[in-house]
Amino acid sequence: MDIFSFLVQTLNAVQYGLLLFLVASGLTLVFGIMGIINLAHGSFYMAGAYLAFGLTSATGSLVWAIVLGVPLAMLVGAALEALLFVHLYKRDHLEQVLLTYGLILIFEELRSLIVGNDVHGVAMPDFLAGSIPLNDTLSYPVYRLAISAVCVVLAIGLYFLIQRTRLGMMIRAGSHDRDMVQALGINITVIYRVVFALGVAMAALAGMLAAPISSVGPNMGGQVLILSFVVVVIGGIGSVWGALLGALLIGFADTFGKVILPEFAGAMVYLVMAAVLLWRPEGLLKKGA
Amino acid sequence: MLESNLATAAPVARMAADGRHPGTAPVADSDSAVRRPGDASDTPQASADALLAARGLHTYYGSSHILHGVDFTVHKGEALGLMGRNGMGKTTLIRSLMGLVRTASGSVTVRGREMRGAATHAIAKCGIAYVPEGRGIFPNLSVKENLLMAARPGVDGQCEWTFERVMATFPRLAERLTNGGGQLSGGEQQMLTIGRALMTNPDLLILDEATEGLAPLIAREIWRIVREIRLSGIATVIVDKNHAAVSSITDRTMILVKGQVVFDGSSEDFRADPDLVTQHLGV
């Protein structure tokens, strides 16, 4: 592998990892703070991709689709939390898994009813459609760099929100002691709703960003869900920065696995997970970090 | 201002004591339990300046009956000592008042407004700050964050307790602002929870076992701070094993035995009657 193809693969790995982080951070936040295992989280990614398809067709641009789609995803997330997830906080994991697995089936059926089972493509915005030439034969698509840039900005924003704002302090405090937060006069229900809606919006945004570079089709949520859980477990359940590390690790493992050991590509991610868990059974970072 | 509160609170307290001496049949409790919440303001105990009050409060943990019709009142600016041996229901009473455990029947009023069954944050927003047993600090937040996350103006918009004032009251915390909450010593953690409670500019501060497990010197420092808070006009409910210390800084004393109030009178009367200690509090 020469330096340029190594660079291309590295950029791919980072972009893939960052996108995965966008999905996994919501999953780990919801689990770490609210104690909920949300199997339907991958469905939000899928819904985001279909939203990108539908809204791009309607408005003519992915940018508009994102501008409209992200607030919509937040509203749907808040509504789902208020109607369904709010009943799960005091229940055990089995009931959480039952409800959220049921939601996967409902979302897949709805998708099938509304848009059918065909595979779709979404056009990337014209101004990001170009690529940057690296040498005579290799070039790198601007759109993928743009995905990475958006994800980095969001990761920094998330860091700022959680570490530097009062809302973030309340969120972190709530992950430790829900009753105590309430006893300080803070309405934890509202905080949970915000966190959940944020998680849904990030997963949907990841789906929208991914739509132009991966086909939009049935069961795209399942694959992402499994990888997100791998990321969350590697990173340390509940840790957002663990999720970032885990996501990048998985991005590199998957991308370079496919290049170096193509015959083991499918197993590479799980080998990395097993290795990390043997080394640190609780994940890379602890909860709340 | 404190004197005037004492003057109104004391006769009321004595009336309560008359009805609640050891040997009083619990019939009176079940009677008050069926009283409609709206009537609470008519009873002598819930005088106009009652900040937090409960009537005929019953609480269960599963099938075990913990509170047997407790009547409880704390007035504006008043300091109340809540005493009783271990397992007599002191913490359950406080958690019931705060809405942290479900109560079976009775009423809880804040400034005359019925709050039983309300969310804990709504009760706290009425100006009640709770420092729980075991302190309840957030170890994953820094000392500064523990304080800032709780900051808000009081019910009447008062902002007397600012970050700066808490720093001045607890100079030890000022030196440890960037430390994680979990890295503090027991005494510092206690100061942090009290400081955090003050950041909400409360009208009532409830301290559950604030000096438990602390070295005598640190405990004395905590008592000094409690006295200072009390002088600033904030009402306090103090649960502590050290009944001598508590009764010396409170206006009124209440003793719980097996989930029932067996004494509710002035702390002066409590100190004058050493039998109360041997009978209800001694080991």
Side-chain angles (χ1 to χ4, degrees):
Chain A
M1 201 189 319
D2 65 50
I3 181 81
F4 288 110
S5 44
F6 179 78
L7 181 65
V8 166
Q9 295 304 341
T10 302
L11 287 172
N12 277 342
V14 168
Q15 176 260 308
Y16 182 50
L18 285 171
L19 207 56
L20 213 47
F21 165 72
L22 222 49
V23 185
S25 56
L27 192 65
T28 206
L29 270 177
V30 167
F31 186 85
I33 291 161
M34 292 131 96
I36 287 185
I37 297 179
N38 182 12
L39 294 185
H41 200 69
S43 302
F44 303 139
Y45 175 83
M46 186 248 334
Y50 275 93
L51 213 54
F53 167 65
L55 289 173
T56 305
S57 313
T59 63
S61 163
L62 180 67
V63 176
W64 279 112
I66 288 174
V67 168
L68 295 171
V70 169
L72 190 66
M74 277 200 99
L75 282 179
V76 170
L80 279 173
E81 197 275 346
L83 291 173
L84 294 174
F85 285 83
V86 74
H87 301 293
L88 289 179
Y89 298 138
K90 289 190 173 157
R91 292 173 189 254
D92 63 27
H93 287 163
L94 177 66
E95 285 170 285
Q96 298 178 358
V97 164
L98 279 175
L99 176 81
T100 56
Y101 183 68
L103 279 178
I104 296 183
L105 301 179
I106 291 171
F107 287 140
E108 284 295 329
E109 271 314 302
L110 280 175
R111 173 200 46 76
S112 179
L113 283 171
I114 297 170
V115 280
N117 294 322
D118 296 337
V119 173
H120 302 278
V122 174
M124 56 185 71
D126 291 336
F127 68 98
L128 294 173
S131 35
I132 298 166
L134 295 173
N135 61 6
D136 295 342
T137 51
L138 283 172
S139 63
Y140 198 77
V142 174
Y143 185 73
R144 281 181 186 266
L145 288 175
I147 291 183
S148 295
V150 169
C151 290
V152 166
V153 168
L154 281 172
I156 293 170
L158 199 60
Y159 174 85
F160 186 81
L161 174 75
I162 291 178
Q163 298 296 331
R164 292 278 179 268
T165 66
R166 278 191 69 202
L167 178 65
M169 293 173 200
M170 292 173 190
I171 289 172
R172 279 181 287 146
S175 77
H176 181 77
D177 188 341
R178 178 193 161 100
D179 279 353
M180 195 60 233
V181 172
Q182 296 236 74
L184 289 167
I186 294 159
N187 189 346
I188 196 99
T189 323
V190 171
I191 291 183
Y192 280 7
R193 195 152 300 157
V194 169
V195 170
F196 192 84
L198 208 65
V200 170
M202 285 193 297
L205 177 62
M208 291 186 215
L209 291 173
I213 53 170
S214 69
S215 50
V216 178
N219 299 320
M220 64 184 294
Q223 182 63 20
V224 162
L225 177 73
I226 293 166
L227 284 173
S228 297
F229 267 110
V230 170
V231 165
V232 168
V233 169
I234 288 181
I237 292 168
S239 164
V240 176
W241 316 119
L244 182 56
L245 279 179
L248 288 171
L249 197 61
I250 292 303
F252 275 92
D254 188 71
T255 309
F256 282 92
K258 278 175 185 153
V259 177
I260 298 164
L261 291 167
E263 53 272 41
F264 291 108
M268 204 59 183
V269 165
Y270 304 99
L271 284 175
V272 168
M273 174 164 85
V276 169
L277 292 184
L278 278 175
W279 172 45
R280 299 188 82 141
E282 302 221 321
L284 293 171
L285 296 178
K286 268 196 305 196
K287 177 181 163 178
Chain B
M1 183 218 158
L2 267 175
E3 295 351 284
S4 70
N5 275 334
L6 272 175
T8 52
V12 164
R14 223 153 279 142
M15 238 180 280
D18 291 339
R20 294 272 171 264
H21 248 295
T24 308
V27 179
D29 297 321
S30 53
D31 181 35
S32 58
V34 293
R35 212 177 278 152
R36 281 185 298 113
D39 291 346
S41 53
D42 307 332
T43 63
Q45 279 170 305
S47 54
D49 63 349
L51 192 54
L52 174 64
R55 295 287 161 267
L57 206 57
H58 287 264
T59 300
Y60 294 77
Y61 279 149
S63 60
S64 50
H65 196 169
I66 309 292
L67 296 184
H68 298 258
V70 171
D71 288 354
F72 170 98
T73 309
V74 61
H75 302 87
K76 280 172 197 160
E78 185 184 32
L80 170 70
L82 178 59
M83 301 187 200
R85 293 192 183 99
N86 280 337
M88 292 301 177
K90 303 180 302 281
T91 297
T92 303
L93 172 58
I94 289 171
R95 291 180 63 83
S96 299
L97 294 169
M98 290 302 296
L100 285 165
V101 291
R102 242 171 59 103
T103 47
S105 62
S107 85
V108 174
T109 52
V110 184
R111 294 166 218 272
R113 223 172 98 213
E114 181 59 42
M115 293 299 275
R116 190 171 79 86
T120 299
H121 68 87
I123 295 173
K125 270 233 160 125
C126 295
I128 298 168
Y130 169 46
V131 175
E133 200 179 354
R135 299 165 197 139
I137 57 148
F138 305 117
N140 53 341
L141 269 64
S142 73
V143 169
K144 192 174 184 182
E145 288 174 335
N146 263 281
L147 293 170
L148 289 183
M149 61 92 62
R152 72 180 140 87
V155 171
D156 303 319
Q158 74 271 27
C159 298
E160 284 142 38
W161 286 96
T162 56
F163 181 73
E164 288 71 29
R165 181 158 175 203
V166 170
M167 286 300 99
T169 311
F170 304 93
R172 288 179 69 133
L173 292 182
E175 296 160 21
R176 315 215 51 180
L177 282 179
T178 54
N179 285 71
Q183 294 168 294
L184 301 183
S185 71
E188 288 165 340
Q189 288 191 11
Q190 195 63 61
M191 291 174 196
L192 179 55
T193 24
I194 295 174
R196 189 180 61 187
L198 291 170
M199 291 291 285
T200 68
N201 283 289
D203 297 313
L204 170 64
L205 181 66
I206 302 177
L207 295 164
D208 195 356
E209 303 284 8
T211 64
E212 178 153 61
L214 298 185
L217 210 66
I218 308 289
R220 213 172 303 150
E221 172 73 1
I222 299 284
W223 289 125
R224 180 192 65 76
I225 289 160
V226 170
R227 214 168 278 132
E228 194 177 311
I229 291 165
R230 181 167 151 30
L231 288 174
S232 76
I234 296 175
T236 44
V237 172
I238 304 167
V239 178
D240 205 280
K241 302 239 161 26
N242 187 344
H243 45 79
V246 175
S247 65
S248 73
I249 62 164
T250 52
D251 309 308
R252 200 153 57 84
T253 296
M254 196 172 140
I255 302 175
L256 276 184
V257 172
K258 290 182 180 155
Q260 290 180 320
V261 181
V262 297
F263 176 85
D264 185 347
S266 74
S267 296
E268 215 168 290
D269 290 353
F270 169 81
R271 282 196 301 273
D273 190 352
D275 283 352
L276 284 171
V277 173
T278 42
Q279 201 180 344
H280 301 302
L281 304 174
V283 229

